[in-house]
């Protein structure tokens, strides 16, 4: 066992309001400059939808992340690292700027400067790439709130996998939001793809960074990252990516995206993991086992053996305490409600998600959530608008049972707390039905609902 | 560590394979990296780690560094009131993130941190953006003429201005150039001089009330609002209302509560057990507060969303009721039907009956009238005047009556309006019932019954109908009476044994108004769901004692008949005992109307320290007349009447009703008379009469008229309009094209034809040719280019929200916090306060010798929260000006049957001195809010010391208001919410009237005086004060009316209780005495627009255009028009104007996503790109509000002109009942009651246009 510390994040999608404040504050702080006009270290996607860049999850097309070769050994999907080195000058798996979007501005100054003329002055869109007038046909968030759903949502790679379950009809509409930053993976394929060795994982907190001096602009990292969270700066010719706001983290501040999240849905914390076991965990043959494998990789910070090993491996005492208090540890491994995004990419991502509940499809049926009927509550999980299969494609490589269990925990928490809210005797059978104690359920409620600043970060 | 999974090592051991990477060759290659780097390659060759010495990443560390962080906020009407950190590096604003230092809500609750949204996070972009207004601008053609005229007139600016504007050719030359480029830079001195000269000329020639100012929503930046408002009120100009104009005012609130609006802070959502979001898209429009809703779900709160589309908030709801737009009243009535039946009739619910007996008008007696045909209808409230034993009491007509269940006799309980004023009511204005047990219903075995005729409006063609349902009655001293609850049960169709009439057979009866199945016909919501949600709402309220809440928003509040929709909602929260309870009741969030330090703000903004009263005007009526929209209305006011009405509006047009409301003193009307008020006073003096007598006799003999009776006469035009903190022409101008045509005199796309002669107003002078270009000067202060600046004659460059001091509050949270300059105003920008001070200084210099000191006469409407509320006994309308062939019904008596006429001295040379110091009227008259007068002598002394006195002039020795910070201190010191001493003093005064202890509510903070420095340090919690109806005492969450409920303080209504029934003549006329369902206006019938769903073109082409309902909800990427031009917001959306439509509708007219389309109706045309989505309901399109016309809007095919804004397709439609005044809670106050600028009932034709667009 070799204990390492990792700064990680959990986002509770059940609370995400899709406001994009995180995107804007991040962009203002980090990528509001020449060369990165199109770059959003943090973006928010409406799902179903294509995401940013378009269809990035279609690894048949983009070949990001890892896969197992015939011998069960882990290899980059884009080809072995030797192949990558061999094809360094010609990389067909790069999204084009059109796959992100062609950034633009407007000739705003005409509003002030226009001479006397026939019509009211207007600011036209102009490409930031060519400087020419353009018709805006795609943006960083074009399909927000199912905009253009008929034309765009059908290209959602996750939706394609469950096409038989979904009708894009008004009566059955569903959507939710997926905010994304770099996953700061335990097994980063961007780093493995880099021919220059410019991408590294900080040993003390696991933040994945691009060494701006060493980067030679090969862009293999862009292809290698299945989440498409490494970007190419057209001005400097270097790769850039989310830094987990390390200058803030280093002085005890949460990331910009987390602190400015008005949905209060982001949690940041340290976790301890066994660096020696990462490769094994990333190599389990069955995709469905990857969630549990990664969870198992994360060490119990209260286990005295783990604590001893951590101290032995040079992790400071206050960091160990931080790992013990970590909301990330609680959400992933105590309450077990947070799930990794696309574990099948085998990068061991470290930004996890609590999947969203959603209203029931048919308000008439007696499966409708009745505030007082707890038997219906569990039945209602099956009638949620968001197909559970869709969530499973995102978070468990398609394993529906895991997502079902998480949603039932959230529903049970609401049910259990309703008795307390209404001044009734709490019912211990409710947490028991989802393998939780009353104390655990109440603690989970406090962490998810009350979520004080000090407890989120 | 969890052991419930097989470890990777175990698994690989079993499979006999060692986990590893690609292959040995690659391994060798990668491991060689160890020799070339200081980084550490992991033993499994998988990854690279590194420690220390990371100079390569200094870029990011440098980028994060900054010199200082300054607290400020955003002065935008979003209700957010979020405190922000503004980062500054090298004197440049870099970006902003949210503050997280709000006072705690307590250990068992979420907190207010962080507050903010993506729009606010993008604000700093404006600071240095190319749309920033950096210098003063004037339209070139005007400036050249002015300079030339000045040369001709020996440099006299006032003569020069007159030379330009009084010449028709010259005036037309610059007016017709409005909005078409050609703005040129000018110096501050020259611009201020020209503007000041315009004011002097206009006051002299036309009168001060021909000058108007528009700046909305003081809560979002009080000092900035007060700047121009103070100037306007010192010169005698009009300030235009905004809350009603924006249609954000829920007229049901004054009708039901006698209160403008008072709602819970968002933290109180947490306390609710059941939450309905009704027409309120919380994540978009309450972004910083939405988390309270998502988090309260985890506490077991059930959440229901009512929305026509799959809106952002629907994803959080347990159930979604997709009611068709504008039909919400039917759904709420059906839910009320279930509640009345199951919780009032089938069984008694003690909590509900105890509550409604004490706090509502349900037990009060209403007379049943019978007409000549023997038809019975609900009439007026029975009052003490009708009882022999009480007839001679003071204010007897304003004391209502109920039956005591114990004695079975009528009693006059405390707390009515009649107890609020007059000596005899002292100590009796309270809800203390003593031993009285109000009888809710007169039903009993053998009770007499009558069948009432009740109104209905649910006919498919939109026409009025009626139905017959019985109520139990009895006779009280000769009057046939019933109770309000009995009327409610009849109105809602809740059958009881033994009552005659047409009753539903059950919930599944779709024909009888009120039932769940009946509502399904209009809303599309399954009747079972409507019934279940209604039942659950009440069950939750019963069990939790009132913790059921409805968040209601613009989706239901912006309709023509929104007051009826809201009254059906308020019936739900009131029948279930939820008002005045934490976690319960209505939560209306439309507009940031709550100025928590209201008293101090009011003194400064209205200049009440120097002269009273101000000329505050209802903006909807103002523009309805002055933009000539009245010339295009083709239906009479009586179109809206009920079958059960008595013809009060017969033969009248909407403009006639506005004129009537003005002359009866119900509503303000400025300009008031067809003559300069400065001359009226001189004429009166010359005639040797009092001004009041002079005016009354002039009105009677016809030598003087109300200006609103001839709005197209040049002497009645508005002449100057100043706009700051607002974008009238890009945002709120309902009927935008009419503004452009008639007010501004420039190009427009009006397509409607004027009203034919037979349908024209009766009492309004009709000019054959409508004027164009009424306004002489449109000037705007702004920091960015908007439609308003583009069309303005003068644009002043304003400081942004990161460049000034100010105060900000909201109803969403209980804190006061501050704006502060992160940088000094850059280029030639100035704060609003400094700009208006500069104008006031120059104006005074020019006006002193030319205007001198004059007597003005202000026509003041009857005012709410004063004895004026008793001007119209029983709401029986009497008019002193007869219609054709009619006799006068009364004499014109100022203050009773017409406006009060108050003389005000105006020293025009001293306006600047008065602007800059707090005046002496406060010392003698105090400061009054909602009937409570605060004595502020100590506060004046404090401010004199704190701000320092000014020296010399008329304000010698008075507290300074020179700096914006001085104004902040004055607002804070003069308000109970921020000055505990005043709060206690106000409550003690109220105690005398109510006879109940109240001042303890503020006692914990009696010594607390919030200073501006406090608000700079952190957001500060406010103090419980009689200025508002709820309590924050002991750190509790604010919920309105908790003081009423807990301290038995009456509501400011006729009965002193919450009203289900309204007995004013005009309410009866419209059939709205009780809550009732009125569907959206039928535009096909009223305006000959095509019917919704029609697919036809101008030439009968079957696929040319589709007629749809046209809604303008709030935009995710802007706050009104603010931010819609911001590059970040445009990059996150679609980069220009767009219209959302359903995939089904799009298919009908061949529209694909992102196609250019045109929307056309009689009012104008819009060009936009389509967003096609299946989340939109069929038959309705959304053009998100206020996308303005400046960003990527091409020329329209239809008009050949620049495509319009969302309001190019709308037009003002005035509801007559909003003009009622002079009666109980239906008495006017500024932004409290008035016609709404509603815009939701509109339809449009959508068609695909050529995809080759031109600009």
């Amino acid at each position: 066992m070799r204990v390492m510390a990792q700064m990680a994040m959990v986002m509770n999608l059940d609370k995400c309001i899709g406001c994009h404040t995180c995107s804007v504050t991040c962009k203002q702080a980090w990528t509001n400059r020449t060369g990165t006009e199109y770059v959003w270290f943090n973006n928010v996607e409406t799902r179903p939808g294509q995401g940013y860049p378009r269809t990035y999850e279609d690894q048949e097309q983009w070949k990001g992340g890892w896969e197992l070769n015939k011998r069960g050994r882990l290899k980059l999907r884009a080809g072995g690292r030797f192949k990558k080195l061999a094809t360094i000058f010609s990389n067909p798996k790069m999204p084009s700027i059109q796959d992100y979007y062609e950034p633009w501005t407007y000739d705003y100054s005409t509003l002030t400067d226009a001479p006397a003329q026939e019509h009211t002055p207007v600011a036209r869109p102009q490409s930031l790439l060519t400087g020419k007038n353009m018709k805006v046909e795609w943006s960083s968030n074009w399909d927000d709130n199912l905009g253009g759903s008929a034309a765009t949502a059908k290209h959602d790679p996750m939706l394609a996998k469950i096409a038989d379950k979904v009708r894009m009809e008004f009566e059955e509409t569903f959507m939710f939001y997926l905010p994304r930053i770099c996953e700061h993976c335990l097994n980063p394929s961007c780093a493995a793809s880099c021919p220059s060795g410019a991408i590294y994982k900080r040993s003390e907190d696991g933040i994945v960074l691009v060494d701006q001096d060493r980067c030679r602009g090969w862009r293999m990292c862009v292809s290698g990252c299945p989440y498409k969270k490494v970007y190419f700066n057209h001005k400097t010719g270097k790769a850039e990516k989310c830094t987990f706001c390390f200058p803030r983290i280093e002085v005890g501040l949460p990331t910009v995206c987390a602190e400015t999240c008005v949905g209060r849905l982001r949690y940041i914390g340290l976790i301890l993991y066994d660096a020696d076991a990462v490769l094994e965990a990333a190599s389990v043959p069955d995709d469905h086992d990857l969630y549990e494998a990664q969870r198992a990789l994360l060490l119990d910070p209260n286990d005295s053996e783990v604590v001893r090993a951590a101290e032995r491996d040079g992790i400071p005492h206050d960091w160990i305490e931080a790992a013990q208090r970590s909301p990330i540890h609680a959400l992933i491994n105590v309450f077990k409600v947070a799930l990794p995004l696309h574990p099948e990419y085998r990068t061991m991502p470290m930004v996890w998600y609590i999947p969203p509940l959603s209203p029931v499809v048919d308000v008439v049926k007696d499966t409708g959530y009745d505030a007082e009927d707890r038997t219906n509550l569990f039945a209602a999980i099956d009638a949620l608008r968001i197909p559970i299969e869709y969530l499973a494609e995102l978070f468990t490589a398609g394993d529906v049972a895991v997502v079902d269990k998480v949603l039932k925990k959230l529903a049970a928490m609401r049910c259990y707390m309703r008795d307390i809210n209404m001044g009734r005797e709490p019912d211990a059978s409710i947490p028991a039905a989802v393998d939780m104690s009353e104390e655990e359920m109440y603690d989970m409620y406090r962490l998810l609902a009350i979520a004080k600043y000090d407890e989120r970060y | 560590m969890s052991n419930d999974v097989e470890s990777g090592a175990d698994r690989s051991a079993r499979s006999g394979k060692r986990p590893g990477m690609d292959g040995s060759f690659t391994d060798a290659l990668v491991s060689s990296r160890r020799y070339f780097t200081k980084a550490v390659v992991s033993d499994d060759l998988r990854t690279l780690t590194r420690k220390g010495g990371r100079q390569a990443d200094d870029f990011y560390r440098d980028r994060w560094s900054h010199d200082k962080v300054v607290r400020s906020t955003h002065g935008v009407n979003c209700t957010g009131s979020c405190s922000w950190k503004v980062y500054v590096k090298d004197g440049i604003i870099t970006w902003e993130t949210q503050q997280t230092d709000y006072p705690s809500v307590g250990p068992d609750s979420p907190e207010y941190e962080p507050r903010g949204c993506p729009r606010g996070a993008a604000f700093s972009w404006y600071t240095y953006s190319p749309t920033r207004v950096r210098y003063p601008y004037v339209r070139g053609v005007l400036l050249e003429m002015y300079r030339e005229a000045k040369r001709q007139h020996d440099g006299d600016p006032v003569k020069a201005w007159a030379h330009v504007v009084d010449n028709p050719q010259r005036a037309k030359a610059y007016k017709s150039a409005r909005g078409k480029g050609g703005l040129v830079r000018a110096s501050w001195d020259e611009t201020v001089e020209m503007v000041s000269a315009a004011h002097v000329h206009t006051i002299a020639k036309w009168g001060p009330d021909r000058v108007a100012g528009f700046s909305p929503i003081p809560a979002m930046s009080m000092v900035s609002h007060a700047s121009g408002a103070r100037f306007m009120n010192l010169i005698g100009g009009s300030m235009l209302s905004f809350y009603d104009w924006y249609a954000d005012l829920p007229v049901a609130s004054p009708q039901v509560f006698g209160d403008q609006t008072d709602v819970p802070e968002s933290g109180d959502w947490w306390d609710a057990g059941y939450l309905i979001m009704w027409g309120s898209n919380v994540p978009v429009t309450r972004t910083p507060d939405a988390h309270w809703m998502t988090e309260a779900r985890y506490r077991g709160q059930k959440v229901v969303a009512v929305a026509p589309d799959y809106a952002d908030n629907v994803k959080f709801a347990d159930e979604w009721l997709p009611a068709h737009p504008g039909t919400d009243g039917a759904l709420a009535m059906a839910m009320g039907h279930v509640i009345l039946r199951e919780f009032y009739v089938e069984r008694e619910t003690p909590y509900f009956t105890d509550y409604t007996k004490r706090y509502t008008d349900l037990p009060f007696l209403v007379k049943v009238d019978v007409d000549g045909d023997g038809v019975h209808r609900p009439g007026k409230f029975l009052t003490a005047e009708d009882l022999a034993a009480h007839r001679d009491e003071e204010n007897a007509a304003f004391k209502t009556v109920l039956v005591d269940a114990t004695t079975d006799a009528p009693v006059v309980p405390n707390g009515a309006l009649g107890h609020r004023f007059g000596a005899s009511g002292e100590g009796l204005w309270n809800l203390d019932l003593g031993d009285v047990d109000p009888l809710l219903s007169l039903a009993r075995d053998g009770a007499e019954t009558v069948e009432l005729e009740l109104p209905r409006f649910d006919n498919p063609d939109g026409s009025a109908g009626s139905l017959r349902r019985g109520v139990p009655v009895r006779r009280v001293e000769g009057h046939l009476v019933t109770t309000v609850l009995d009327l409610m049960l009849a109105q809602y169709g809740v059958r009881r044994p033994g009552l005659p009439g047409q009753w539903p057979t059950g919930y599944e009866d779709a024909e009888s108004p009120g039932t769940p199945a009946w509502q399904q016909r209009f809303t599309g919501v399954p009747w079972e769901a409507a019934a279940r949600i209604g039942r659950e709402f009440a069950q939750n309220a019963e069990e939790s004692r009132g913790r059921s809440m409805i968040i209601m928003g613009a989706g239901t509040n912006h309709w023509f008949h929104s007051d009826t929709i809201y009254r059906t909602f308020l019936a739900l929260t009131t029948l279930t005992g939820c008002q005045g309870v934490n976690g319960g009741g209505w939560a209306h969030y439309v507009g940031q109307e709550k100025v928590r330090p209201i008293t101090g703000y009011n003194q400064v903004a209205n200049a009440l320290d120097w002269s009273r009263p101000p000329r505050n005007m209802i903006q909807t009526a103002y523009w309805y007349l002055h933009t000539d929209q009245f010339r295009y209305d083709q239906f009479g006011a009586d179109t809206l009447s009920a079958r059960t009405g008595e013809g009060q509006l017969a033969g009248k047009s909407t403009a006639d009703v506005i004129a009537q409301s003005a002359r009866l003193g119900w509503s303000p009307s400025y300009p008031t008379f067809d003559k300069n008020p400065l001359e009226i006073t001189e004429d009166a003096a010359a005639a040797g009469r009092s001004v009041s007598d002079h005016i009354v006799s002039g009105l009677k003999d016809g030598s003087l008229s109300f200006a609103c009776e001839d709005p197209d006469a040049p002497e009645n035009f508005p002449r100057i309009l100043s706009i700051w903190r607002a974008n009238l022409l890009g945002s709120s101008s309902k009927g935008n094209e009419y503004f452009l045509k008639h007010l501004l005199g420039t190009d427009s796309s009006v397509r409607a034809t004027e009203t034919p002669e037979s349908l024209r107003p009766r009492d309004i002078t009709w000019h054959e040719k409508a004027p164009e270009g009424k306004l002489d000067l449109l000037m705007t202060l702004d920091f960015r280019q908007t439609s308003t600046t583009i069309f303005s004659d003068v644009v002043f460059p304003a400081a942004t929200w990161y460049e000034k001091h100010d105060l900000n509050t909201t109803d969403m949270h209980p804190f006061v916090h501050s704006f502060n300059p992160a940088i000094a105003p850059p280029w030639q920008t100035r704060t609003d306060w400094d700009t208006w001070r500069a104008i006031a200084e120059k104006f005074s210099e020019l006006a002193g010798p030319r205007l001198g000191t004059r007597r003005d006469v202000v026509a003041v409407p009857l005012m709410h929260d004063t004895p004026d509320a008793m001007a119209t006994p029983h709401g029986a309308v009497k008019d002193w000006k007869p219609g054709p062939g009619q006799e006068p019904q009364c004499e014109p008596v100022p203050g009773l049957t017409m406006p009060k006429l108050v003389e005000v001295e105006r020293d025009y040379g001293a306006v600047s001195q008065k602007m800059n110091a707090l005046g002496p009227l406060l010392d003698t008259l105090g400061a009054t809010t909602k009937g409570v007068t605060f004595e502020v002598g100590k506060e004046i002394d404090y401010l004199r010391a704190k701000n320092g006195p000014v020296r010399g002039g008329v304000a010698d020795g008075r507290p300074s208001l020179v700096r914006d910070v001085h104004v902040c201190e004055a607002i804070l010191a003069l308000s109970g919410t921020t000055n505990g001493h005043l709060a206690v003093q106000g409550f003690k005064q109220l105690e005398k009237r109510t006879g109940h202890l109240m001042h303890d509510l503020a006692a914990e903070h009696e010594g607390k005086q919030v200073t501006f420095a406090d608000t700079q340090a952190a957001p500060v919690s406010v103090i419980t004060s009689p200025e508002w109806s709820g309590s924050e005492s002991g750190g509790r969450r604010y919920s309105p009316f908790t003081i009423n409920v807990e301290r038995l303080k009456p509501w400011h209504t006729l009965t002193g209780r919450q009203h289900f029934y309204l007995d004013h003549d005009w309410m009866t006329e419209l059939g709205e005495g009780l809550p009732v369902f009125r569907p959206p206006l039928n535009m096909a019938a009223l305006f000959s627009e095509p019917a919704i769903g029609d697919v036809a073109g101008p030439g009968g082409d079957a696929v040319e255009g589709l007629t749809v309902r046209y809604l303008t909800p709030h935009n995710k990427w802007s706050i009104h028009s603010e931010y819609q031009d911001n590059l970040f917001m445009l990059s996150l959306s679609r980069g220009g104007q767009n219209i959302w439509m359903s995939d089904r509708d799009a298919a009908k007219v061949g529209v694909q996503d992102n196609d250019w389309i045109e929307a056309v109706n009689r009012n104008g045309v819009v060009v936009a790109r389509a967003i096609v989505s299946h989340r939109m309901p069929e038959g309705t399109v959304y053009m998100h509000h206020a996308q303005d016309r400046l960003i990527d809007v091409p020329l329209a095919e239809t008009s050949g002109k620049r495509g319009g804004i969302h309001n190019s397709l709308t037009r003002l439609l005035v509801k007559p009942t909003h003009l009622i005044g002079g009666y109980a809670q239906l008495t006017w106050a500024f932004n409290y009651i008035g016609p709404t600028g509603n815009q939701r009932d509109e339809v449009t034709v959508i068609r695909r246009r050529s995809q080759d667009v031109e600009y």
Side-chain angles (χ1 to χ4, degrees), chain B residues 175-221:
Chain B
K175 290 176 180 178
S176 63
R178 285 170 172 162
K180 300 181 194 168
L183 290 170
V184 297
R185 264 179 71 177
S187 72
W188 265 94
D189 283 350
E190 184 176 26
T191 313
V192 166
E193 178 195 82
M194 187 179 83
V195 160
S196 301
H199 280 81
V200 173
H201 173 68
T202 301
I203 291 169
K205 179 161 184 179
W206 304 111
D209 53 352
R210 274 68 173 169
V211 177
F214 173 43
S215 188
I217 321 293
M220 68 192 190
S221 50

Side-chain angles (χ1 to χ4, degrees), chain B residues 812-834:
Chain B
M812 307 306 302
H813 66 58
F815 312 117
V816 181
H817 62 106
S818 57
F819 294 77
N820 294 285
I823 58 171
W827 296 288
Q828 291 187 7
T829 62
R830 294 187 193 175
T831 66
D832 293 0
W833 188 253
D834 283 346

Side-chain angles (χ1 to χ4, degrees), chain B residues 546-559:
Chain B
R547 290 198 289 121
S548 292
M549 184 181 282
I550 304 176
I551 296 178
M552 45 190 88
T556 51
N557 189 53
H558 281 182
W559 296 86

Side-chain angles (χ1 to χ4, degrees), chain B residues 50-83:
Chain B
R50 200 193 286 179
K51 194 172 188 175
R54 302 184 189 99
Q55 289 79 359
D57 302 311
D58 278 355
F59 167 75
Y60 296 105
R61 238 179 229 103
D62 288 348
R63 186 163 167 99
W64 175 248
S65 68
H66 40 270
D67 303 329
K68 65 172 177 175
V69 175
V70 177
R71 178 187 307 276
S72 198
T73 182
H74 304 126
V76 60
N77 179 20
C78 66
T79 75
S81 188
C82 308
S83 194

Side-chain angles (χ1 to χ4, degrees), chain B residues 425-455:
Chain B
E426 187 146 311
L428 299 180
W429 191 53
N430 61 50
L431 302 178
D432 197 342
L433 288 164
D435 297 332
V436 172
D437 176 20
L439 189 65
L440 279 173
S441 167
L442 301 183
R444 66 170 93 174
D445 287 344
E448 189 183 347
T449 66
V450 298
E451 193 173 88
L452 298 176
E453 187 188 40
L454 295 168

Side-chain angles (χ1 to χ4, degrees), chain A residues 278-300:
Chain A
V278 170
L279 185 55
E280 285 175 27
S283 306
V284 297
D286 186 344
D287 283 354
H288 282 195
D289 291 334
L290 281 161
Y291 159 63
E292 291 292 3
Q294 187 171 356
R295 227 167 45 69
L297 201 57
L298 311 183
L299 302 169
D300 179 356

Side-chain angles (χ1 to χ4, degrees), chain A residues 16 29 200 280 284 369 452, chain B residues 9 11 57 63 106 302 315:
Chain A
C16 183
Y200 62 97
E280 285 175 27
V284 297
Y369 166 51
K452 300 277 187 188
Chain B
R11 197 181 300 107
D57 302 311
R63 186 163 167 99
K302 178 162 181 177
K315 88 182 251 281

